[in-house]
Amino acid sequence: MKTKILIATLFLISAIGLVASFEEKKSYQEGVEVTVASWNVENLFDMKESGKEYEIYRPYHHGWVPEIMAAKVRNIARVIAELNATIIGLQEIESQEALDALTQELKRINAPYPYSLLAKGESTVHVALLSRLPIEESESIPINQQSQSRHILKVRVLVGGAPLTIFVNHWSSKRHPESSRHRYANALKKEISKLDPGEDYMILGDLNTNHDECRTLVDEARLNDTFGVVGLNHILATAPRCQPVTEKTLNNTTHYDLWYELPPDKRASHISGRHADSLDHILLPSSLYDDQGVSYIDNSFVRFDPPWLFRHGQIFRWQITKGGKGEHLGEGYSDHLPIIARFRSGRFQAVGEQPITLTDKNITIMKLYELPDGPIEATINEAVAIWQEGDRAIVKEENGRAIMVLGVDKQLTLGGVYKLHVKGLGTFHGLREVTAATIEETGLSKPITPLLLSTPLPDLTNGLFQNEVVASIEGELKRTTLTYGNGYTIKVYFKDKSLKPKSGRVRLTMVLVGYFDRPQLVVSRSEQIEWLGPLP
């Protein structure tokens, strides 16, 4: 009996613990957004001689003097201020004095970061972190006893009360073989294994590894001392078996590399000569794609690359004469570009689920053609109804474009002016559509004739004319191709095949310029067709 009571008590305690743990995870404010960035600033040194600095940064040698250091600090601060990230991981900071000089300059230019940390290791330069959120916990993680290893900085912050752990890295350069980067990857893997299941974290920094390194390492004899095994791709599992992990294939043993959100020609943060490398990374686990805690804001990853960070097609790095062995010139920024992504407290929403945020909610129909598919909150103030069939309608702005609206639950008055509250956008085989909307009557009306396309007609295969309504078009119909006007041709789609007339001269009225993989005229009723006679 005592045994049963003891078991029941332990079960109750365990259940209470699980509920408490669940409540703790849920006790945060949803919808709090933060931006997280990473940037290798290219050797921010102080003016204090330690004996460990690179020769080119020895105080009062090679032009490295207080005025030049101040210029470098100002330039780095300008980039960070423009980034405006909530948290930024930095690489290549020599000392606390150098980091303090940077935070003081950021404060001076009204871009303050009240919280900062440096992971002091055995190497010459170190990783650091700037934060506008209080730092709850931190740890400097050594790699091994090698004199030049750079510690990993582990930091914990709260995003709306939800915990987020960030690992800031700077792995060994490619002056060393791949095995040296394995040590960093293995150290990270060990630290990750200590986290609670489902804990939110991210890995960022200069990993000195391309996102697709597994494809090239096998051909680099100088680097390949690991039989083609790459620390990033295989140990951290961003591309097991050299197949990139996607958001859909991500699981609790793999990581998603945000470079894959950008087109291939943008996957580079370090450009030198003809070489473009994706050395800097933000890696995410599956826990940032679930329904609680902190989540990634889908497709928010960007490379920060304004024109002023480039010169002559190259990244405008910090300038030193004689190929980096001469004198400091006091201009330039870094040989790396920053990368940045956005996160929020609350559930993950894939693109197509989250509303598009617009600065101005009152926009034009033209703007609707420029926005991605998905939920949206926007209003077209004066949308004139010019066509309707069942629950589909076409509305148009004066001197503007027309668009299809689906799911219209009432009969619109042609020429009636409506306020269109757009809730969703979609594209069907190239045809732009408003997939969800509410329509508010204004009591106004306008003649629709000036809003219809009429003779002389332009080339209707120009995509700008999709969703327009043609008042009347006359030409030679051969099967389903209409030749009209100045020798233009366009396909005609008959919704009911029985409507299709024999080849000849025809006149079509009030026909829609649709789009199904290509522009086409849409005929749905017999009264829209008039046969004028056989072809000559």
Side-chain angles (χ1 to χ4, degrees):
M1 184 67 177
K2 287 183 179 179
T3 302
K4 289 183 178 180
I5 293 172
L6 177 61
I7 291 172
T9 303
L10 289 173
F11 177 80
L12 180 60
I13 292 170
S14 176
I16 291 171
L18 285 173
V19 171
S21 175
F22 178 80
E23 290 301 324
E24 182 182 353
K25 282 190 173 182
K26 286 295 185 181
S27 61
Y28 57 84
Q29 179 187 353
E30 293 199 19
V32 176
E33 289 195 16
V34 297
T35 51
V36 181
S38 180
W39 188 31
N40 182 325
V41 301
E42 191 182 17
N43 298 322
L44 179 56
F45 279 75
D46 60 27
M47 292 304 303
K48 179 181 176 182
E49 187 158 3
S50 66
K52 293 183 68 175
E53 55 270 301
Y54 303 144
E55 170 59 29
I56 197 68
Y57 285 94
R58 281 183 62 200
Y60 301 99
H61 291 72
H62 304 282
W64 186 246
V65 295
E67 294 80 8
I68 293 295
M69 178 196 169
K72 187 171 179 69
V73 169
R74 282 196 304 272
N75 287 8
I76 292 172
R78 176 191 177 187
V79 176
I80 293 174
E82 292 281 348
L83 272 172
N84 196 30
T86 314
I87 299 168
I88 179 167
L90 303 174
Q91 298 86 48
E92 296 195 7
I93 306 290
E94 184 202 12
S95 63
Q96 187 64 49
E97 289 84 357
L99 184 61
D100 289 345
L102 178 58
T103 57
Q104 289 165 14
E105 175 62 17
L106 286 165
K107 184 177 181 181
R108 187 190 70 81
I109 63 174
N110 200 30
Y113 283 85
Y115 308 98
S116 62
L117 280 175
L118 183 78
K120 185 72 172 174
E122 299 81 22
S123 63
T124 301
V125 290
H126 313 287
V127 301
L129 179 132
L130 303 177
S131 177
R132 289 175 176 156
L133 299 178
I135 295 170
E136 301 293 315
E137 298 175 12
S138 66
E139 183 182 355
S140 184
I141 302 166
I143 304 306
N144 51 33
Q145 299 305 313
Q146 282 188 320
S147 61
Q148 289 301 307
S149 68
R150 294 184 276 255
H151 288 198
I152 296 171
L153 180 59
K154 178 184 177 184
V155 173
R156 186 174 181 263
V157 298
L158 298 179
V159 179
L164 174 66
T165 297
I166 301 172
F167 294 97
V168 186
N169 295 259
H170 189 190
W171 293 7
S172 297
S173 74
K174 289 190 176 181
R175 289 192 296 271
H176 306 282
E178 181 60 25
S179 59
S180 64
R181 286 173 288 284
H182 274 211
R183 286 190 278 270
Y184 290 85
N186 283 319
L188 269 173
K189 191 173 181 180
K190 182 179 178 180
E191 287 299 316
I192 291 167
S193 70
K194 299 176 184 177
L195 301 176
D196 292 334
E199 187 169 335
D200 293 325
Y201 69 91
M202 72 178 71
I203 299 166
L204 59 80
D206 179 359
L207 309 187
N208 274 306
T209 309
N210 285 311
H211 66 282
D212 56 354
E213 192 84 14
C214 56
R215 299 177 59 187
T216 60
L217 181 65
V218 291
D219 298 322
E220 296 279 354
R222 182 182 64 82
L223 299 176
N224 186 15
D225 63 343
T226 58
F227 302 99
V229 177
V230 177
L232 170 67
N233 299 144
H234 299 111
I235 297 174
L236 294 183
T238 63
R241 298 178 298 280
C242 213
Q243 294 298 313
V245 169
T246 67
E247 288 181 343
K248 291 185 177 180
T249 62
L250 185 63
N251 59 45
N252 59 7
T253 64
T254 59
H255 293 94
Y256 180 56
D257 193 332
L258 290 182
W259 279 120
Y260 286 102
E261 289 196 340
L262 300 188
D265 64 335
K266 289 289 186 180
R267 295 175 192 165
S269 57
H270 181 272
I271 303 170
S272 178
R274 290 179 295 176
H275 298 283
D277 299 303
S278 53
L279 304 183
D280 306 276
H281 299 261
I282 298 178
L283 311 180
L284 305 183
S286 59
S287 62
L288 292 179
Y289 290 84
D290 61 17
D291 61 355
Q292 61 182 344
V294 181
S295 297
Y296 174 57
I297 296 179
D298 206 13
N299 282 9
S300 66
F301 175 76
V302 294
R303 181 185 79 174
F304 185 69
D305 55 1
W308 49 269
L309 278 183
F310 291 81
R311 176 183 280 187
H312 307 308
Q314 303 293 317
I315 295 175
F316 189 15
R317 67 182 300 179
W318 182 250
Q319 298 295 293
I320 304 174
T321 62
K322 298 181 180 179
K325 297 180 180 179
E327 298 285 318
H328 293 271
L329 296 178
E331 59 180 12
Y333 299 93
S334 169
D335 56 348
H336 289 247
L337 295 172
I339 53 177
I340 189 168
R342 294 164 52 218
F343 302 82
R344 68 186 294 274
S345 55
R347 75 179 186 92
F348 171 73
Q349 295 175 300
V351 164
E353 294 180 17
Q354 59 200 47
I356 299 165
T357 301
L358 298 172
T359 304
D360 184 358
K361 297 295 194 301
N362 297 316
I363 62 174
T364 64
I365 290 177
M366 172 72 82
K367 182 66 177 178
L368 296 181
Y369 282 87
E370 300 171 1
L371 297 171
D373 293 350
I376 183 178
E377 293 290 340
T379 298
I380 308 298
N381 285 312
E382 294 188 355
V384 183
I386 61 172
W387 177 95
Q388 184 172 6
E389 282 188 1
D391 65 351
R392 301 183 310 140
I394 298 290
V395 297
K396 185 175 181 178
E397 288 181 299
E398 279 192 299
N399 304 313
R401 291 195 66 174
I403 196 164
M404 172 81 72
V405 183
L406 305 181
V408 179
D409 60 1
K410 58 186 176 182
Q411 186 64 40
L412 303 183
T413 302
L414 296 188
V417 179
Y418 298 88
K419 185 170 284 190
L420 184 70
H421 301 288
V422 183
K423 306 294 185 181
L425 292 173
T427 306
F428 181 71
H429 288 272
L431 181 69
R432 194 59 163 158
E433 301 170 328
V434 172
T435 57
T438 57
I439 301 175
E440 178 184 342
E441 295 188 23
T442 66
L444 303 175
S445 64
K446 294 185 179 181
I448 69 168
T449 300
L451 299 176
L452 305 178
L453 297 183
S454 56
T455 54
L457 289 169
D459 179 3
L460 297 174
T461 61
N462 185 320
L464 290 172
F465 297 111
Q466 70 163 260
N467 285 317
E468 295 284 351
V469 177
V470 180
S472 177
I473 183 171
E474 186 176 320
E476 295 182 355
L477 181 68
K478 292 182 180 180
R479 296 186 179 179
T480 59
T481 298
L482 181 71
T483 301
Y484 67 96
N486 193 25
Y488 299 129
T489 61
I490 189 170
K491 177 181 172 62
V492 181
Y493 170 66
F494 297 92
K495 283 192 170 184
D496 183 342
K497 290 183 180 179
S498 66
L499 296 176
K500 179 180 171 299
K502 61 185 178 181
S503 295
R505 290 194 58 79
V506 297
R507 180 184 296 117
L508 306 177
T509 57
M510 293 298 291
V511 288
L512 175 66
V513 183
Y515 202 102
F516 191 90
D517 300 327
R518 59 176 174 170
Q520 58 184 12
L521 297 177
V522 180
V523 176
S524 54
R525 304 185 310 277
S526 60
E527 56 266 30
Q528 293 177 283
I529 311 164
E530 181 183 357
W531 196 74
L532 301 177
L535 296 174

